[in-house]
Amino acid sequence: MTTAPTLPRDVAVGPRGRVRSLTGGMGLIGALAVALVVACVLSAATGQFPIPPGEVLGSVLHRLGLDLGPLPTHPQAENNLWNVRFPRVVMTALVGAALATAGALMQGVFGNPLAEPGVVGVSSGAAVAAATVIVFSLDFAGSWTIAVCAFAGGLVTTLVVYVMARDNGRTEVVTLVLTGVAVNAITSAGLAFLLFLANTSAREEIVFWTLGSLNGSRWAEVQVVTPLVVVGVAAALVLARQLDLLALGDRAARHVGVDVERLRMVCIVLVALLTAAGVAFCGVIAFVGLVVPHLVRLVAGPGHRVLVPASALGGAVLLVLADLWARTAIANADLPIGMLTSLVGGPFFFWLLRRARRTAGGWA
């Protein structure tokens, strides 16, 4: 006797259950949006000299043409807010949203809570490209050279993984994962070789880049990353219903009209785009794409119409708070943010493995 497949919450429970699920999801999204605003204001208010949160909000409102709230009283506060702190806060939120959305897509495509964007090699490919620029002092795009090469390296590595995993017009999930593991091993070896070739200063720069940092973010970089993240998140929302149907299994999804192979290809391209946009300017930031979508799924269920926007907001909140921690944990020091996310994500990953073992590796 066979057991019926488990459906995503907003697919399986009928119209009334769907309304309740989406209503609860909207509440979660609203709460995360409020949390993001609070986190951004708190992060912008904190620094070498503190600025009251009310003055931070007042500065933003006055820039929007609203004569509300007090303006900063410190003579350098306004300049510091708009040229140093706000670009960093906005970039942090964008990168967090990009990585978490990419993680939600990966987990939906693979049907596994342990999947994360690094599986397809985008982060390791970006790291090798960035290290190559640093070691050989390439400068064809000026100060943008590392970012351009990291973005291209991530996309190319993902394309290589996908092409190598494809056979007879189809891509099996297990084959894609194993191919990604092999390519990640090769890129890790390449990165180690580049570290061996590098001099002391280049080696330190590579190590710092691979640990991730949002220090020195500028509005020009924000303007490049913003459209990529917006397009990626919007496309993920468009694919939400098909991802819900994919949770039924490949055969059932095909029966209801889903082009499974095309869906996987589009999702992997979106994952590469979002992750490459995230790491190009900030370096490798681990575990955001693993932790956030899984936590949101535990709270709101697996329906992607709620999961995708909630993951984007949750990733932004998490990374803004992590960056605040990185700037304030040690006086006059800016810790690598990737180190802090790994510090939190590592224990979570162990917990997730134990939980998956208890459910026979099932999709919770």
Side-chain angles (χ1 to χ4, degrees), residues 3 7 26 46 57 72 74 118 141 145 147-148 187-188 199 206 208 242 250 293 352-353:
T3 303
L7 304 183
M26 292 304 105
T46 307
L57 281 174
H74 193 284
T145 305
V148 170
T187 53
S188 296
N199 57 35
I206 292 171
F208 193 76
Q242 295 185 59
D250 288 8
L352 189 57
L353 284 173

Side-chain angles (χ1 to χ4, degrees), residues 36 40 81-82 87 97 110 117 121 149 164 169 195-196 205 248 265 299 310 334 336 347 355:
L36 178 59
C40 288
L81 278 176
W82 288 96
F110 286 104
C149 290
M164 293 179 64
L195 284 169
F196 176 78
E205 186 176 356
L248 304 173
M265 179 182 68
V299 175
D334 197 333
R355 185 176 184 274

